[in-house]
Amino acid sequence: MSSYPNLRHVRLFQFAAETNSLTRAAEAVRVSQPAASQAIAKLEGQFGGALFERRGSGVFVTERGRLLTERAARALSLLREANERLARHASIGRALAIDLLETHATIAHLRAVAAFASTSSFTAAARRLEQAEPSVQRAARELERIGTVPLFEGRQNSIRLTATGTMLARAASLVLRELENALEDARELDGRFTGRVVIGTLPFARTRIVPEAIVAWTNRRPAASIEIVDGSYDTLAHALAIGEIDMLVGALRPASEAKGIAQEALFDDPLSVVVRAGHPLATRPELKFEDLRAYPWILPRKGTPTRAIFDELSARHGLAQCGSGLVETGSLVALRGLLVNSDRLTLMSRRQIAYEENSGLLVPLQLALPATARPIGIATRQGWKPTTLQAELLDALRVAAKSL
């Protein structure tokens, strides 16, 4: 996105909104009154209408201005928090460093460091930003000089972010996302629901909840776009934390693992042992756990809720003592292909195989698995404020979950 509002203009706008005075705001950000008026005019052009009503006693935000005020406050708060942490290590002293980012950082600086963090190289960051690599590297290094704290370490071919750089890149990514959402809020105010939502999905959600919700949502908002991102929980949780995805749907994690993430449970989902139709165990009634020991397993990777449940069952019933080794995969496509073409077993939700069960390809075994239910739900960033499109997709997911 190339049309981000100027950070200095946003800061000026926020001062004016808080004080109801463009004159005081101009003094606070050290610009002339004409320059302040021009900055607000440019913001109003970007946000599609008047941000202030001008009265004899000062300036007062319009409805459009109120939307920007909320997003601007969040973006500037993120920048200030990052600045406070940066100031603790700045070589010029905390007193001088206390507002460095607010007064000197630009959108180009934030985009450069955020893109590097996301791609792990200046070459890839430049491709993402559609800019020349020297320009991206120069912007990132300028931010490093502004803060007087190393943001990068390593040699030319192995440059990586320092801990401070990682912190600042996360803040930069979230600031940019707030500004994107501010522009989206303004478009939605005008009835233009043409924005883009990015949703991360874990295995369970990919089969029914997310597809059903998206069909309903796109029927209501046909001009809106959506991107579905698959991946491991750790990868998607990181993307959620830095604003690269808007929400994450799937099996929830314990609160200790979901730091900084708000979780909303939709329902509890029990697990079953699943096999191909025609499997030697498929039609046997009153199965026992020892009946499973002769067959190899296909399992999700370690660290997932389902794998933790299997490991507990295995320790209790000796399932890991089967003669053949495990196959581990996070791919539902690979999992289904392996099940259909072998006598392997897996542990999964019966809801995940609804289509395959109806088609006569896979079946759950007649074996009770008590205390194996996992909470399925939605994860978002703590303190996140969704746009209308994002909020409507959340509602569509809730409705889809109730229909299961």
Side-chain angles (χ1 to χ4, degrees), residues 163-224:
T164 301
T166 299
M167 177 278 297
L168 189 52
R170 179 181 184 276
S173 182
L174 291 175
V175 168
L176 293 171
R177 191 61 177 142
E178 286 294 344
L179 296 177
E180 290 172 6
N181 284 342
L183 290 162
E184 185 57 38
D185 287 337
R187 285 190 288 268
E188 290 175 351
L189 182 64
D190 294 329
R192 292 184 290 139
F193 294 89
T194 56
R196 177 171 166 270
V197 180
V198 185
I199 180 171
T201 61
L202 296 169
F204 175 85
R206 296 168 194 159
T207 52
R208 291 190 60 188
I209 296 178
V210 169
E212 289 181 12
I214 289 175
V215 168
W217 181 76
T218 52
N219 284 340
R220 181 178 183 182
R221 301 297 186 193

Side-chain angles (χ1 to χ4, degrees), residues 49-80:
L51 300 175
F52 289 111
E53 290 180 3
R54 288 154 177 85
R55 305 175 196 162
S57 56
V59 293
F60 299 84
V61 292
T62 61
E63 183 179 2
R64 192 179 305 272
R66 180 186 57 77
L67 293 173
L68 177 55
T69 299
E70 293 176 4
R71 295 291 184 188
R74 296 162 68 86
L76 293 174
S77 177
L78 287 163
L79 211 53
R80 284 165 190 158

Side-chain angles (χ1 to χ4, degrees), residues 15-341:
F15 273 117
E18 290 172 357
T19 63
N20 300 118
S21 172
L22 193 55
T23 301
R24 291 180 191 173
E27 292 171 352
V29 298
R30 298 182 179 91
V31 299
S32 67
Q33 182 75 30
S37 296
Q38 289 175 6
I40 296 301
K42 185 167 184 180
L43 283 177
E44 290 179 331
Q46 288 179 295
F47 284 88
L51 300 175
F52 289 111
E53 290 180 3
R54 288 154 177 85
R55 305 175 196 162
S57 56
V59 293
F60 299 84
V61 292
T62 61
E63 183 179 2
R64 192 179 305 272
R66 180 186 57 77
L67 293 173
L68 177 55
T69 299
E70 293 176 4
R71 295 291 184 188
R74 296 162 68 86
L76 293 174
S77 177
L78 287 163
L79 211 53
R80 284 165 190 158
E81 289 173 10
N83 206 131
E84 287 175 5
R85 297 176 67 179
L86 190 69
R88 295 173 197 157
H89 308 287
S91 61
I92 61 174
R94 187 166 185 177
L96 293 175
I98 201 63
D99 65 348
L100 275 177
L101 293 181
E102 277 194 72
T103 57
H104 292 84
T106 67
I107 290 295
H109 295 146
L110 300 187
R111 294 187 75 200
V113 73
F116 180 90
S118 180
T119 61
S120 300
S121 79
F122 283 118
T123 301
R127 282 198 299 269
R128 170 171 290 195
L129 297 177
E130 297 181 344
Q131 296 177 8
E133 183 177 345
S135 298
V136 175
Q137 188 159 178
R138 182 168 55 252
R141 294 297 187 180
E142 282 175 1
L143 188 60
E144 187 173 48
R145 286 192 292 274
I146 288 168
T148 71
V149 178
L151 303 180
F152 302 91
E153 60 186 2
R155 303 196 173 204
Q156 186 64 33
N157 295 326
S158 59
I159 298 174
R160 58 190 177 275
L161 288 167
T162 63
T164 301
T166 299
M167 177 278 297
L168 189 52
R170 179 181 184 276
S173 182
L174 291 175
V175 168
L176 293 171
R177 191 61 177 142
E178 286 294 344
L179 296 177
E180 290 172 6
N181 284 342
L183 290 162
E184 185 57 38
D185 287 337
R187 285 190 288 268
E188 290 175 351
L189 182 64
D190 294 329
R192 292 184 290 139
F193 294 89
T194 56
R196 177 171 166 270
V197 180
V198 185
I199 180 171
T201 61
L202 296 169
F204 175 85
R206 296 168 194 159
T207 52
R208 291 190 60 188
I209 296 178
V210 169
E212 289 181 12
I214 289 175
V215 168
W217 181 76
T218 52
N219 284 340
R220 181 178 183 182
R221 301 297 186 193
S225 301
I226 188 162
E227 180 181 354
I228 304 171
V229 181
D230 296 338
S232 67
Y233 176 82
D234 289 342
T235 298
L236 294 176
H238 174 70
L240 179 65
I242 64 174
E244 289 193 344
I245 63 175
D246 299 311
M247 60 195 77
L248 173 56
V249 187
L252 303 180
R253 264 43 176 187
S256 59
E257 294 181 32
K259 188 176 180 181
I261 293 176
Q263 299 189 130
E264 175 187 348
L266 298 175
F267 58 89
D268 288 333
D269 189 56
L271 296 173
S272 300
V273 177
V274 174
V275 299
R276 66 174 176 84
H279 189 284
L281 299 179
T283 57
R284 287 180 54 179
E286 300 181 2
L287 283 171
K288 298 179 181 179
F289 280 100
E290 47 263 37
D291 296 325
L292 310 183
R293 293 175 185 165
Y295 298 93
W297 288 80
I298 309 166
L299 295 171
R301 298 185 184 93
K302 289 186 177 180
T304 62
T306 301
R307 182 57 180 270
I309 291 171
F310 172 81
D311 289 344
E312 185 177 343
L313 290 173
S314 177
R316 192 185 312 157
H317 300 289
L319 302 183
Q321 297 174 12
C322 58
S324 302
L326 302 176
V327 173
E328 297 178 321
T329 180
S331 166
L332 283 175
V333 174
L335 173 62
R336 288 164 179 154
L338 288 164
L339 283 176
V340 168
N341 292 287

